[in-house]
Amino acid sequence: MKAQPDLTQVEKDKLEINPDFDFREIAKRPFEDISPNELAMFKWSGVYHQLQPSFFMIRVVTPGGRMTTKQFNRAVDLGEKYAQDEMCITTRQTLQYHWIRKEDIYKIIEGMAEVGITSKNGCGDVPRNIIGDSLAGAGPNQIGDSLKLIRWMADDDEIQNQRNLPRKHKISVASSNDALAQTLMNCQGWVPVERDGVVGWKYHAGGGLGARPYLAKAIFDWVPEDLVMAVTRAAIEAFRRHGDRRHRAHSRLKVVVDQMGAKKFGDVLIDIMKEKNVQGLDSIEFAASAVPNIGRMSINGEAVIPQKTEGKSIVRILIPRSEIKTPESRIISKLADELGGGIIMFTNRQNIELHDVPNENADKLVAALHEAGFKTEGHEHLPDIVACVGTTMCKMAVSDSPDAYHRLYNALATDETYWKAIGTLRINITGCPNNCAHAWVADIGLRGTRTRNPEGGSVEGYSVFVGGKLSEDGKIAEYLCDAATEEIVPAVKKILDAYLANRQSDGELFVDFCARIGISNFQELVASE
Amino acid sequence: MEQLLNQAEELINAGQCNEAVELLCRQGVPQETRVFELIALAHHKKDQARGDVYSAVIFAGRAISSGSTNPLMQQIIDASKRQDKDLDHSLAPQDYILGGWQDTRPVIDAPLSSNALSKLNGKADAPKDFDWLGKNIPCQKACPASTDIPGYLQAIYEGRHEDAYNINLRDNVFPAVLGRVCARPCESECRHGWEDLGDPVAICFSKRSAADFKGQDLVVMDKWFEDSGKSVAVIGSGVAGLAAARQLALLGHKVTVYEKHSTPGGMMNQGIPVFRLPRDLIAKEIEQIAALGVEIICNTEIGKSITLSELTEQNDAVVMAAGTLRPNLLDLPGKELEGIRHGLEFLLDVNDNGTTAIGDKVVVIGGGFTAMDCARTARRLGATTVQIEEEKADQVATGSILRIPKGNVGVWYRRSVDEMLVTPGEIEELEHEHIPLETMVSPKAYVGENGKVAAMQFVRTELGEPDASGRRRPVEIKGSEFELPVDTVLLATGQFPDTSWIDEALKAELVEEDGWLKSGTAFSTARDKIFAAGDFATGASSLIQAIGHAKDAARAVDQFLMGKVRLKDFAKIEDVTDSGRIREMDAVPLQKMPTIDLEKRDLPTEVELGYDKDTSVEETQRCYQCHYKYEIDADKCIFCDWCVKAKPRPDCILKVKELKHDDEGRIVGWEIAEKADDVNMIWINQDDCIRCGACVAACPVDAISIQKVSLVTEPVSA
Ligand SMILES: Cc1cc2nc3c(=O)[nH]c(=O)nc-3n(C[C@H](O)[C@H](O)[C@H](O)COP(=O)(O)OP(=O)(O)OC[C@H]3O[C@@H](n4cnc5c(N)ncnc54)[C@H](O)[C@@H]3O)c2cc1C
Ligand code: SF4
Ligand code: SF4
Ligand code: SF4
């Protein structure tokens, strides 16, 4: 008898270890008595063991990226007390703490629970924080009530109690057909469609970045709103059934959809819903084409955006390197209460927006922010760089992405004329192939690497990818060149200068330039002395 | 608190930085200046990676903002800042050659000294290539005939028993024979038997299954060369003589084998008992050699029918492969008594005549192959029904050992069990067949009665210093003498080459005074036309040792005959995408060899039954397939460490600062890097690799290649 594949250790752990740890008990237990397998399962509660052995990271769950100031204030209090005075905004629109002692994990979890925020499913092989676009509930082009759907999903026991998926599972719900919601890089992506005054949803599946990126395919052109939950649940069930649990590098839904193709995957979903006796399936329309067509990003650097609701505005704040210290957080919160609508929105570019600001307060709010040292200019432009924590705190990282962030920011973002001349440009810096900072879909994506030095040792650096996008049918950025960390500023400058010197017109965006000249021509441009 | 801070500082000074931070955190959330300072200091001191620099900076910052005046804090922050450098070169894509499993490697010289082999693909023959093969395929290295063990185990696993047989046939000439009685030097070296890795693969039993489940047709190999017109005479048709003959035939020479016995096969026929080795198998594998045109002439003793000198005259070369037929008789008081026989002669008698007269109380002296066979044969020759109960009697074969009183045949050996040179499992079989084994006893004298042996006197021994063979020498314990009543003594105390048949004309040139060859274990002798092979040259060894020696001897003969080297060894390198193994195979337990029950054990019935087909697959999947080489492309690799995190072995993937090489370019050692910037390479140490593929699955950029590397011997054309 040939040996049969058995469950991998991770899969066994998922069956054998209850992911809902009692962190009060963990607080008392000596660290040596926590098995590595248990430690790995902490993630299911949003708790990660940090690179620095005495400390943990905690990620909470903020569906849709929205918090009230009451919730935010609690988060700030806890950060001040237990997390060395700081919080981080993640690319999935939520908050993250670092430097937490094992003894304090439960204090954060319980403290946030008191204001209705959980860390359950913060990480792990579960449905992760459900995201959308930061304009949700406010943006001028709203079609569907994405926040409502996100809430449904976040409150749905059947979805949230899926604690043993083959791998992590990511869902996005957009409020309009806008690349802002990152539909194409999520496992499931919902985009609202209006037909004759009725809102239904277009359904995408199979996107995901990581080391081997895939862009989502269009599965259904039309799903009536009352069937959205059934389809979402069916997709998770399909993932459970077909995800490759043996090979973690190939276990996500993106691989399932890629292998099945859009039509077959749609059939599988319909079959699962039939099994569950879901009614009205005839009203679901298969996608006429699997090739998606996502609208281009609707915002482009605005500091203030008028809301759809009369008299209200969105005010946008640039948060450097996603880190906010307690004093700054308190200022933001105070201004959100005094001049805004008491609503804080985290964006997937790791910034903050204040929603429901009465129009008459908008200028005052911006002025107050500037006075407190915040920047409101540069969104979706060079200063708006996304970076993960890199080697500073993550065990998987190769390069120190925050360091690259600061050098690029300090060298290039300070020259306003320069970055304004460039126009829309998203630089994303990710410390390793996991691509937490989404380098695959940025205009310029830097991915950490090291290069062997023939004389001895190795040099930290980045592989540079260009031309990625999440609009239209999407595009995974293509590999341009490598650059050492210490040369990253002149290297990026050289790339940008090549673009400035060779673009067809001032209006040709970087991403369009990349598409027009093609990667090998671009390689030649930067290879010239 | 003060005490704790001091304690933490001490830990930091002692280099136990993680422990210091843990201690500092135990008191509560770090909030005080002094605690911040110490946490910053601890990470600053550790300084192995950017994470340490970062933590130092964070806590130094915390220290300063809470009022620290320690100047080191600002220094830590300042020192962490990296300096921007000007770009004085063009920006180019990363360049690599070896690549990952999805890439195809060119047939070129290896670009880096860190590469495992001298070439990236194709055939390589530098010292480092053979060194790699030897270190990485330990079973093949241990096999004197260099059998491609992973190659044939893989074939069996894939259900290709025929191919497995042919691989064996090519390398060791007698697969069906060796699959039963090989001494298995490979198994003790098998990687699967290394510390913490379980039991070695049952290589030998698997080989047998290849022979058992292949088709029944004779396999006639293709020759390497056309007829050379040269003739070679081989003296002796044991495995050595026949292996040399086959190789020479494949090389295109006309070969005649002369054998003094009535059947060819040497010790396979004359020594090893039928219950371990059925005779039809020997005949068949010899027939495959004859089918290549080798003429085997029996009943012809060189030295009698025809002299060595004459034979040398008539042929272009002569290979002496006459084995070790001169018994080593113990020179003890009473040696002339009746009832004392040499084991070899006893076995030959039984093998030729099917039986021989034997007494009731048999003692076998010795601890090697011959001793085991003498004892087990004697056990099968004794008197009838004594110990079996009535109702069982009819199930028990007439000649079964169960009809014979147990304990009447015993083996007595002067060293310990560890020093015994027998086939693995044979000592267990002795016990199973109720044959007592007494070790650490040395014979002193035969005691006679009426001209017949009546007792044997022994003295107890203890182990002293190792002797020339590396085994510990038995030292007699004074005053421990005792007598054992016996009527038959079988001496399995060794045998030497018999050179008495070499005619006088050549004796002076070829033979020492003590009867051994002057040329020692060498293939060639003082006469350039005369060669020696197998036990005749090396002294008593094993079948596979004799075969390996004879194969090499044949190459020397060919070189002499043709005046050039016509066979060449290579490391053949091939790209593969997958080893076909899954990790669960490593956990499959060693498969037992089924044997017949004691009731059925008589002289002619084979004891071992062989694996059934499924079991052979079950067993062979255990093999790690050491011929696979996992190697990281040092330039494609991005140093992410993910493979290091996934590895199952302590040292299979190393973060090296530097590799050390000898003058021939072989990798002989390494220095591990302590800091991230010092890591020059993430390097697979294939020596510690169990070919699990976890690294390949973990690598996010496909920087790890898989190649199959095999030792091949090929004719060099022109
Ligand atoms: C009882 C016994 C059991 C053994 N069991 C094992 C075992 O289980 N596994 C193992 O690996 N090894 C075993 N061995 C050892 C193994 O048999 C030998 O190492 C091996 O046979 C040596 O091969 P050879 O060809 O060199 O010599 P041999 O097999 O001894 O062949 C020599 C041949 O030369 C012939 N010959 C000698 N002189 C002349 C002459 N003048 N003219 C013509 N022909 C001549 C002989 O008749 C004989 O056929 C055993 C040995 C013995 C004695
Ligand atoms: S595991 Fe297989 S290839 Fe490796 S030493 Fe053992 S038998 Fe040989
Ligand atoms: S295949 Fe890779 S991970 Fe597995 S033992 Fe070998 S080097 Fe280590
Ligand atoms: S896993 Fe990472 S360190 Fe290992 S070979 Fe691949 S790139 Fe290199």
Side-chain angles (χ1 to χ4, degrees):
Chain A
M1 257 287 284
K2 293 190 184 178
Q4 293 307 303
D6 191 2
L7 295 179
T8 60
Q9 191 56 49
V10 187
E11 290 299 321
K12 285 183 192 157
D13 289 349
K14 284 196 271 183
L15 292 174
E16 284 161 16
I17 301 175
N18 177 1
D20 294 316
F21 289 91
D22 172 2
F23 283 100
R24 281 180 177 262
E25 185 269 323
I26 293 294
K28 290 191 213 118
R29 209 195 299 176
F31 186 79
E32 312 78 76
D33 295 350
I34 303 171
S35 72
N37 311 47
E38 283 180 300
L39 209 54
M41 292 294 292
F42 279 12
K43 292 181 199 155
W44 272 243
S45 307
V47 179
Y48 258 92
H49 190 214
Q50 217 171 284
L51 179 62
Q52 292 78 5
S54 293
F55 300 105
F56 289 82
M57 180 275 267
I58 301 183
R59 186 187 294 155
V60 297
V61 172
T62 320
R66 252 165 83 106
M67 267 191 193
T68 62
T69 42
K70 183 174 168 234
Q71 292 170 320
F72 184 67
N73 288 341
R74 172 59 64 87
V76 178
D77 290 345
L78 293 168
E80 181 178 38
K81 236 172 154 171
Y82 304 114
Q84 297 303 322
D85 234 10
E86 192 171 81
M87 301 187 297
C88 248
I89 301 164
T90 79
T91 52
R92 277 191 84 76
Q93 297 186 278
T94 189
L95 286 177
Q96 201 164 283
Y97 296 103
H98 298 280
W99 308 112
I100 308 290
R101 299 181 321 138
K102 172 174 72 65
E103 292 75 11
D104 300 328
I105 297 172
Y106 79 90
K107 297 174 190 162
I108 300 236
I109 292 177
E110 291 179 7
M112 290 307 285
E114 281 170 18
V115 293
I117 288 192
T118 182
S119 71
K120 172 176 161 178
N121 293 347
C123 324
D125 296 344
V126 297
R128 299 285 187 86
N129 189 32
I130 299 173
I131 60 144
D133 50 297
S134 58
L135 300 181
N141 311 318
Q142 300 282 305
I143 298 177
D145 188 351
S146 58
L147 287 177
K148 178 178 71 185
L149 264 61
I150 289 173
R151 203 64 258 172
W152 283 351
M153 293 172 192
D155 291 343
D156 186 73
D157 283 346
E158 193 180 325
I159 294 177
Q160 294 303 327
N161 287 335
Q162 292 285 357
R163 313 302 294 283
N164 183 5
L165 296 177
R167 195 79 162 77
K168 60 184 167 192
H169 190 71
K170 297 182 169 179
I171 304 174
S172 159
V173 187
S175 65
S176 64
N177 188 14
D178 186 335
L180 194 55
Q182 301 184 322
T183 308
L184 296 186
M185 50 170 265
N186 276 271
C187 305
Q188 302 194 49
W190 291 99
V191 175
V193 197
E194 195 178 324
R195 284 188 190 169
D196 309 327
V198 181
V199 174
W201 296 81
K202 179 165 177 174
Y203 181 63
H204 306 76
L209 300 183
R212 297 165 185 85
Y214 294 78
L215 293 167
K217 297 177 170 32
I219 311 294
F220 300 132
D221 276 343
W222 177 264
V223 177
E225 191 158 288
D226 59 0
L227 286 179
V228 164
M229 289 301 286
V231 171
T232 304
R233 293 186 196 123
I236 294 180
E237 180 58 27
F239 182 35
R240 282 176 59 91
R241 291 184 192 177
H242 302 285
D244 179 356
R245 289 179 183 262
R246 220 174 136 75
H247 304 104
R248 280 186 78 73
H250 303 277
S251 55
R252 285 188 58 188
L253 187 71
K254 61 188 183 184
V255 179
V256 176
V257 175
D258 183 64
Q259 284 172 355
M260 280 185 186
K263 172 70 174 63
K264 168 99 187 293
F265 185 69
D267 288 339
V268 167
L269 298 187
I270 299 285
D271 287 346
I272 290 173
M273 287 187 283
K274 278 186 187 151
E275 272 175 40
K276 293 188 181 175
N277 223 355
V278 175
Q279 299 300 305
L281 294 178
D282 290 349
S283 57
I284 293 178
E285 243 172 62
F286 273 76
S289 160
V291 180
N293 187 10
I294 303 290
R296 284 207 160 190
M297 198 91 87
S298 64
I299 43 179
N300 188 9
E302 299 85 349
V304 179
I305 301 168
Q307 289 189 190
K308 190 169 189 175
T309 342
E310 277 295 308
K312 297 270 171 76
S313 288
I314 296 169
V315 173
R316 307 170 74 207
I317 315 169
L318 207 61
I319 304 294
R321 230 310 280 147
S322 81
E323 295 156 357
I324 26 172
K325 297 216 172 285
T326 305
E328 284 111 62
S329 301
R330 296 221 189 279
I331 293 170
I332 290 176
S333 181
K334 188 159 160 277
L335 290 175
D337 278 336
E338 289 176 3
L339 298 172
I343 293 295
I344 288 177
M345 174 63 94
F346 306 116
T347 78
N348 55 33
R349 293 197 71 77
Q350 302 172 305
N351 294 315
I352 286 181
E353 290 174 2
L354 302 180
H355 284 203
D356 294 348
V357 179
N359 283 352
E360 60 275 22
N361 290 350
D363 288 347
K364 237 191 287 173
L365 180 52
V366 170
L369 285 167
H370 287 173
E371 199 182 327
F374 289 104
K375 289 202 164 59
T376 55
E377 298 289 309
H379 288 279
E380 292 88 35
H381 284 64
L382 200 152
D384 188 6
I385 302 173
V386 166
C388 68
V389 297
T391 47
T392 64
M393 281 183 276
C394 168
K395 291 183 188 174
M396 306 304 276
V398 190
S399 298
D400 186 341
S401 12
D403 165 77
Y405 173 99
H406 289 300
R407 284 139 166 281
L408 286 172
Y409 189 92
N410 294 340
L412 303 178
T414 42
D415 185 350
E416 194 168 325
T417 346
Y418 182 65
W419 63 253
K420 284 207 161 139
I422 293 169
T424 310
L425 181 82
R426 295 173 206 86
I427 299 181
N428 287 22
I429 311 172
T430 201
C432 81
N434 267 343
N435 245 279
C436 297
H438 310 160
W440 286 129
V441 290
D443 291 307
I444 299 182
L446 305 181
R447 191 213 60 210
T449 187
R450 264 186 179 275
T451 313
R452 184 179 67 91
N453 179 349
E455 259 88 69
S458 51
V459 185
E460 188 194 291
Y462 292 89
S463 293
V464 183
F465 298 81
V466 293
K469 64 174 185 182
L470 288 170
S471 56
E472 288 105 2
D473 55 346
K475 167 104 187 147
I476 298 297
E478 290 178 292
Y479 176 53
L480 182 70
C481 60
D482 265 17
T485 298
E486 47 192 11
E487 297 165 351
I488 199 67
V489 169
V492 169
K493 180 111 189 345
K494 183 166 189 173
I495 293 163
L496 290 173
D497 288 348
Y499 154 66
L500 286 175
N502 293 282
R503 66 180 171 187
Q504 252 174 353
S505 69
D506 289 0
E508 187 180 38
L509 297 182
F510 186 87
V511 63
D512 295 328
F513 169 78
C514 293
R516 179 174 58 81
I517 69 163
I519 194 65
S520 41
N521 287 330
F522 207 161
Q523 277 173 339
E524 262 171 48
L525 283 180
V526 298
S528 62
E529 292 300 321
Chain B
M1 185 68 189
E2 197 50 41
Q3 201 189 342
L4 179 116
L5 293 174
N6 291 338
Q7 217 179 322
E9 200 162 1
E10 273 168 35
L11 283 170
I12 295 171
N13 290 334
Q16 291 177 280
C17 299
N18 288 343
E19 291 77 1
V21 177
E22 202 206 310
L23 184 72
L24 289 163
C25 285
R26 216 178 285 160
Q27 285 316 96
V29 183
Q31 262 159 349
E32 285 147 49
T33 314
R34 188 80 188 107
V35 177
F36 289 146
E37 285 174 353
L38 285 172
I39 297 182
L41 184 66
H43 286 112
H44 179 62
K45 267 243 154 134
K46 192 174 159 208
D47 190 28
Q48 280 169 1
R50 287 298 286 172
D52 299 320
V53 175
Y54 181 72
S55 336
V57 168
I58 288 285
F59 285 95
R62 297 286 283 153
I64 291 172
S65 57
S66 73
S68 166
T69 53
N70 185 341
L72 182 63
M73 296 300 115
Q74 192 55 48
Q75 284 165 24
I76 287 175
I77 295 173
D78 294 342
S80 76
K81 300 214 170 84
R82 293 160 157 183
Q83 298 304 310
D84 280 330
K85 240 174 69 180
D86 287 343
L87 189 67
D88 55 4
H89 54 87
S90 70
L91 290 172
Q94 166 201 39
D95 207 13
Y96 61 86
I97 305 179
L98 186 59
W101 65 272
Q102 302 197 63
D103 299 315
T104 307
R105 276 141 288 278
V107 182
I108 54 165
D109 286 345
L112 302 177
S113 60
S114 60
N115 289 133
L117 304 170
S118 72
K119 292 232 159 59
L120 290 194
N121 215 333
K123 286 182 208 158
D125 61 355
K128 84 188 281 186
D129 303 312
F130 296 113
D131 187 57
W132 190 94
L133 285 167
K135 272 203 202 136
N136 278 274
I137 316 182
C139 53
Q140 184 171 24
K141 172 80 180 170
C143 176
S146 300
T147 303
D148 178 6
I149 295 166
Y152 84 74
L153 292 179
Q154 180 172 29
I156 296 174
Y157 163 66
E158 289 167 0
R160 297 182 286 113
H161 290 77
E162 185 100 37
D163 291 346
Y165 181 84
N166 291 341
I167 292 170
N168 271 293
L169 185 66
R170 177 194 67 202
D171 292 340
N172 56 46
V173 192
F174 293 97
V177 170
L178 292 167
R180 287 164 170 83
V181 296
C182 185
R184 312 170 201 173
C186 52
E187 292 184 8
S188 47
E189 295 303 315
C190 168
R191 193 180 299 268
H192 217 312
W194 292 5
E195 203 177 335
D196 298 332
L197 293 177
D199 294 311
V201 177
I203 299 171
C204 186
F205 296 166
S206 303
K207 188 198 313 285
R208 171 176 170 166
S209 76
D212 287 354
F213 299 113
K214 76 167 183 70
Q216 289 308 302
D217 296 344
L218 284 192
V219 185
V220 184
M221 290 173 67
D222 293 335
K223 294 193 179 184
W224 288 313
F225 293 100
E226 304 278 282
D227 284 357
S228 66
K230 309 274 183 188
S231 71
V232 184
V234 175
I235 303 163
S237 68
V239 286
L242 290 171
R246 195 210 56 187
Q247 295 302 88
L248 289 165
L250 291 176
L251 284 156
H253 308 302
K254 169 91 192 83
V255 189
T256 313
V257 180
Y258 297 91
E259 168 58 53
K260 69 175 180 184
H261 198 259
S262 57
T263 22
M267 285 310 131
M268 292 190 283
N269 261 323
Q270 301 167 33
I272 300 173
V274 181
F275 59 83
R276 286 211 294 132
L277 182 58
R279 294 312 192 240
D280 54 332
L281 297 167
I282 308 173
K284 189 159 181 181
E285 292 193 323
I286 293 178
E287 213 180 314
Q288 293 179 153
I289 296 170
L292 292 167
V294 172
E295 193 180 352
I296 303 171
I297 304 175
C298 289
N299 299 314
T300 308
E301 182 173 352
I302 305 305
K304 270 197 188 146
S305 318
I306 175 172
T307 67
L308 178 57
S309 295
E310 286 164 342
L311 208 58
T312 310
E313 278 295 293
Q314 292 161 10
N315 290 279
D316 296 304
V318 176
V319 179
M320 306 183 291
T324 49
L325 299 187
R326 177 159 57 99
N328 177 32
L329 296 167
L330 296 181
D331 190 14
L332 300 176
K335 63 182 179 197
E336 66 294 336
L337 291 168
E338 208 182 306
I340 304 170
R341 297 179 78 173
H342 193 266
L344 199 52
E345 174 263 320
F346 161 76
L347 288 170
L348 179 59
D349 193 5
V350 178
N351 281 330
D352 276 355
N353 305 312
T355 186
T356 189
I358 190 151
D360 280 341
K361 298 193 202 80
V362 183
V363 62
V364 178
I365 311 283
F369 292 123
T370 312
M372 299 299 105
D373 285 341
C374 284
R376 295 178 72 190
T377 302
R379 180 99 180 89
R380 285 162 168 78
L381 287 175
T384 42
T385 327
V386 178
Q387 64 187 108
I388 40 176
E389 289 138 29
E390 281 304 317
E391 65 270 24
K392 226 182 165 189
D394 56 337
Q395 300 160 23
V396 176
T398 323
S400 160
I401 57 176
L402 277 189
R403 294 185 179 273
I404 300 162
K406 57 176 152 187
N408 282 16
V409 178
V411 177
W412 294 64
Y413 180 50
R414 62 198 175 123
R415 308 191 216 220
S416 74
V417 174
D418 294 341
E419 274 79 25
M420 294 178 72
L421 296 179
V422 297
T423 312
E426 264 205 302
I427 295 179
E428 290 73 17
E429 280 307 321
L430 272 195
E431 193 182 329
H432 192 55
E433 294 183 0
H434 310 305
I435 301 170
L437 169 68
E438 193 77 27
T439 57
M440 311 301 300
V441 285
S442 188
K444 289 292 282 182
Y446 307 104
V447 183
E449 231 178 69
N450 307 327
K452 294 180 77 177
V453 67
M456 181 103 213
Q457 195 188 68
F458 288 97
V459 62
R460 298 216 175 264
T461 61
E462 58 192 4
L463 289 179
E465 293 300 302
D467 63 12
S469 73
R471 294 183 297 167
R472 293 176 66 191
R473 191 193 303 274
V475 182
E476 294 180 3
I477 304 172
K478 279 214 176 66
S480 65
E481 289 82 359
F482 64 97
E483 270 184 22
L484 177 80
V486 297
D487 55 22
T488 309
V489 177
L490 297 176
L491 292 175
T493 44
Q495 50 256 14
F496 306 128
D498 177 7
T499 47
S500 60
W501 52 271
I502 298 180
D503 50 276
E504 294 304 324
L506 286 167
K507 210 163 232 168
E509 263 179 277
L510 301 182
V511 184
E512 296 276 9
E513 277 192 7
D514 62 3
W516 286 78
L517 286 181
K518 284 189 168 165
S519 47
T521 62
F523 310 124
S524 48
T525 66
R527 276 299 180 95
D528 57 6
K529 281 174 90 175
I530 303 179
F531 295 80
D535 282 7
F536 191 65
T538 61
S541 63
S542 62
L543 296 166
I544 193 66
Q545 178 70 46
I547 292 167
H549 190 267
K551 277 174 67 188
D552 292 341
R555 286 170 85 156
V557 173
D558 184 64
Q559 194 180 344
F560 163 71
L561 291 175
M562 308 308 289
K564 59 183 174 198
V565 175
R566 296 202 302 161
L567 285 182
K568 199 160 162 30
D569 294 334
F570 294 99
K572 183 172 157 209
I573 313 164
E574 298 160 276
D575 282 346
V576 296
T577 52
D578 184 14
S579 74
R581 295 198 81 235
I582 58 172
R583 209 47 220 295
E584 284 75 3
M585 294 173 175
D586 298 355
V588 172
L590 174 72
Q591 302 301 301
K592 293 235 157 43
M593 168 57 76
T595 54
I596 56 169
D597 296 339
L598 286 187
E599 295 90 275
K600 297 194 185 111
R601 292 198 185 187
D602 59 8
L603 208 51
T605 310
E606 191 178 9
V607 171
E608 292 180 345
L609 289 164
Y611 287 155
D612 58 29
K613 214 168 188 169
D614 285 348
T615 312
S616 71
V617 170
E618 178 98 1
E619 179 60 27
T620 47
Q621 68 183 327
R622 297 179 62 234
C623 169
Y624 292 138
Q625 299 287 317
C626 298
H627 54 197
Y628 289 120
K629 170 177 71 67
Y630 290 75
E631 187 170 358
I632 296 174
D633 183 323
D635 292 320
K636 195 178 187 192
C637 167
I638 63 166
F639 294 63
C640 68
D641 266 16
W642 292 8
C643 54
V644 180
K645 293 187 178 88
K647 75 185 162 96
R649 296 283 298 159
D651 289 329
C652 65
I653 311 179
L654 302 171
K655 300 197 225 177
V656 297
K657 185 172 179 186
E658 200 190 345
L659 290 178
K660 312 221 181 293
H661 299 85
D662 67 6
D663 293 346
E664 300 280 11
R666 290 178 280 233
I667 297 166
V668 290
W670 56 77
E671 190 184 335
I672 299 293
E674 297 294 338
K675 294 184 180 186
D677 284 345
D678 290 341
V679 181
N680 185 241
M681 246 182 279
I682 313 282
W683 181 75
I684 292 185
N685 168 28
Q686 287 116 11
D687 216 4
D688 195 45
C689 162
I690 56 169
R691 281 66 176 161
C692 74
C695 50
V696 175
C699 181
V701 295
D702 182 23
I704 307 179
S705 58
I706 318 174
Q707 290 184 303
K708 183 172 163 182
V709 189
S710 354
L711 176 67
V712 293
T713 302
E714 284 181 1
V716 269
S717 35

